[in-house]
Amino acid sequence: MNQSVDTKCLHAGWNPTQGEPRQLPIYQSTTFKYDTSEQMGKLFDLEANGYFYSRLQNPTNDYVADKICALEGGTAAMLTSSGQAANFYAIFNICETGDHFIASSAIYGGTYNLFGVTMKKMGIECTFVDNEISEEELDKLFRPNTKCLFGETITNPTVSVYDIEKFAKIAHKHGVPLIIDNTFATPINCRPIEWGCDIVTHSTTKYMDGHASAVGGAIIDSGNFDWLAHADKYPGLCTPDESYHGITFAEKFGKAAYITKATTTLMRDLGSIQAPQNAYYLHIGLESLHVRMARHCSNALAVAKFLEANEKVAWVHYPDLENDKYHALQQKYLPKGSCGVVSFAVKGGRDAAIKFMDSLKFASIVTHVADAKTCLLHPASHTHRQMSDEQLLAAGVEPDLIRFSVGLEDPEDIIADLKQALELI
Ligand SMILES: *Cc1c(COP(=O)(O)O)cnc(C)c1O
């Protein structure tokens, strides 16, 4: 049955039969029992399907991954312990020392460090590019050892919209997959696979969990990228794997090759499994994702319109606003609304921003974004605190940028809070 994405939030994944628990059970077990040593041996050889140790796979996690897979329209999916682990595994599954990839420079700061600093130490080089780059300029940056292109549907914290179709076309022309972090949009508002993206990642910590209760991540593979057609580029998927008696993932597992390799090699060797308890919290969040996203978006639009009209506000970025630079892309890729995050600045620089933030009554200052309660962060005084204004601009963060994550409260209360704080500066 072809269900809508809203219905899939409730019914995809765990599908109990007669007498089974209505709600997804938590398989709080590190290990799984087998009757014969031969049966267990077949699992280790990937000759049979089954659970044996929760560092690699756990049924609770897999049911949740199945739901997310259905929401994104993918072929196979897995959970990870965090969004950072998801983005690392998504790249490291197809990149080795000496390889190169290209990423949008407008991405989450943690991902920027992972790609630009930590992965560099592993001998994997990332070239960062502006989202406005032309096809001709981007073509020139591809090298024989370039293995993928990476971007975010909606960037954190500048809320610009990625032109997925454009970048998918360029990636495929060069024989590499496009990987997209779809955290801010969620599959309710945008399904990148429908626009040509090959692999989707998530920090499930944000809207998917939705209640600031569990850190987690997910990777979803469309199954559309033909690894064997580019076998020379992807030896990890297309040549025999010594650690599994010489099986070749792309031949043995077909469309599930990428996720199977990530679970059976990266999870096995590096860990980063999501705790089944956290997967359970995530699952509860997913059941209301469609209802919450609609409210996050309508609240954020009301807030953005209020800010846009307020004389103490210097500027507002929110793609759903008609005169926003990214409005056309929002209309194309996110017609139901983008997300609940609005970035803006008050007039008067850092001091005015601090005064304003400290005067808010219930919008709280937290290092978080995209959950049920309205919160905010000022990168210049928090995450990027040690930097001068010049350094901030060089890092792409406007010194006066306030990242405002609109929650699920009554929009009139959120606006009243903003209004009283703006009046004090
Ligand atoms: C938060 C975030 C991450 C990192 O996720 P964690 O779950 O905190 O590890 C990655 N990408 C985006 C877009 C994020 O907002």
Side-chain angles (χ1 to χ4, degrees):
M1 198 171 64
N2 199 10
Q3 295 174 338
S4 89
V5 72
D6 290 13
T7 303
K8 285 180 188 166
C9 283
L10 284 310
H11 294 288
W14 174 245
N15 199 355
T17 55
Q18 171 145 296
E20 284 190 316
R22 185 77 177 110
Q23 186 50 282
L24 172 64
I26 304 173
Y27 288 82
Q28 192 66 49
S29 181
T30 58
T31 190
F32 302 84
K33 175 188 172 289
Y34 287 88
D35 288 339
T36 68
S37 127
E38 194 195 340
Q39 281 172 323
M40 176 86 103
K42 281 189 176 151
L43 300 178
F44 276 95
D45 283 350
L46 304 183
E47 288 301 332
N49 254 333
Y51 295 96
F52 53 100
Y53 190 53
S54 281
R55 177 171 10 93
L56 286 87
Q57 274 180 301
N58 173 283
T60 305
N61 294 24
D62 282 354
Y63 285 116
V64 179
D66 285 351
K67 189 190 287 281
I68 296 174
C69 189
L71 293 176
E72 287 287 4
T75 295
M78 65 194 278
L79 299 187
T80 57
S81 56
S82 68
Q84 286 299 108
N87 282 328
F88 174 55
Y89 280 13
I91 306 277
F92 196 59
N93 204 29
I94 49 171
C95 281
E96 320 184 340
T97 303
D99 283 346
H100 169 254
F101 67 104
I102 301 170
S104 161
S105 56
I107 51 174
Y108 172 66
T111 314
Y112 194 89
N113 276 327
L114 169 67
F115 292 175
V117 181
T118 300
M119 291 186 75
K120 192 172 169 189
K121 290 182 188 161
M122 304 170 80
I124 297 170
E125 196 187 342
C126 178
T127 302
F128 291 102
V129 297
D130 196 283
N131 279 353
E132 312 301 317
I133 192 167
S134 71
E135 184 166 346
E136 295 70 40
E137 285 174 281
L138 186 51
D139 282 343
K140 287 187 217 145
L141 299 174
F142 278 84
R143 311 172 190 171
N145 64 343
T146 303
K147 299 298 164 79
C148 64
L149 194 58
F150 181 96
E152 286 178 5
T153 315
I154 306 171
T155 61
N156 177 0
T158 49
V159 288
S160 51
V161 180
Y162 197 62
D163 193 345
I164 305 172
E165 234 178 0
K166 164 183 149 184
F167 288 106
K169 191 175 136 240
I170 298 171
H172 296 155
K173 185 170 78 180
H174 293 276
V176 305
L178 174 65
I179 303 178
I180 290 192
D181 181 332
N182 197 33
T183 297
F184 270 25
T186 81
I188 303 304
N189 288 344
C190 178
R191 289 175 296 282
I193 291 171
E194 292 174 2
W195 298 99
C197 165
D198 301 285
I199 292 150
V200 175
T201 62
H202 278 280
S203 164
T204 61
T205 317
K206 312 296 165 54
Y207 289 120
M208 282 192 169
D209 167 85
H211 302 82
S213 60
V215 173
I219 308 174
I220 305 94
D221 180 18
S222 68
N224 293 335
F225 192 81
D226 188 351
W227 307 104
L228 287 168
H230 307 281
D232 52 325
K233 270 203 186 105
Y234 304 104
L237 283 157
C238 301
T239 57
D241 189 310
E242 281 170 42
S243 70
Y244 279 112
H245 310 308
I247 62 157
T248 298
F249 283 98
E251 281 168 5
K252 188 163 170 72
F253 297 103
K255 281 178 177 289
Y258 176 89
I259 293 294
T260 306
K261 177 176 183 288
T263 44
T264 57
T265 65
L266 300 185
M267 277 300 189
R268 180 195 62 185
D269 298 347
L270 302 172
S272 302
I273 192 82
Q274 185 167 139
Q277 182 88 38
N278 279 4
Y280 175 84
Y281 295 137
L282 168 57
H283 189 252
I284 290 185
L286 289 167
E287 290 190 344
S288 62
L289 183 64
H290 54 305
V291 182
R292 290 185 289 105
M293 285 314 289
R295 179 66 180 256
H296 277 295
C297 290
S298 64
N299 277 5
L301 185 58
V303 164
K305 283 183 174 164
F306 162 78
L307 291 169
E308 195 182 32
N310 190 288
E311 53 170 21
K312 300 227 172 133
V313 173
W315 52 261
V316 184
H317 294 325
Y318 187 61
D320 306 33
L321 287 174
E322 265 170 41
N323 51 10
D324 192 85
K325 189 175 163 197
Y326 294 97
H327 190 59
L329 290 176
Q330 179 262 323
Q331 291 285 297
K332 175 174 175 177
Y333 294 112
L334 304 138
K336 287 202 263 180
S338 56
C339 64
V341 181
V342 176
S343 71
F344 70 99
V346 293
K347 291 177 185 162
R350 255 190 218 229
D351 292 346
I354 290 164
K355 169 90 180 130
F356 161 75
M357 293 188 22
D358 290 350
S359 309
L360 287 163
K361 297 266 192 276
F362 73 76
S364 46
I365 302 170
V366 295
T367 307
H368 204 254
V369 64
D371 70 66
K373 299 181 203 68
T374 295
C375 64
L376 76 164
L377 186 93
H378 181 218
S381 353
H382 304 133
T383 46
H384 299 63
R385 187 180 179 80
Q386 317 305 340
M387 293 183 175
S388 68
D389 285 2
E390 290 70 35
Q391 286 171 321
L392 282 170
L393 283 173
V397 178
E398 288 148 292
D400 52 355
L401 182 148
I402 292 169
R403 184 182 74 186
F404 196 77
S405 177
V406 182
L408 301 174
E409 300 90 348
D410 185 329
E412 293 197 6
D413 289 336
I414 303 171
I415 288 169
D417 193 20
L418 286 167
K419 198 169 171 202
Q420 62 82 22
L422 284 167
E423 274 162 13
L424 295 174
I425 55 174

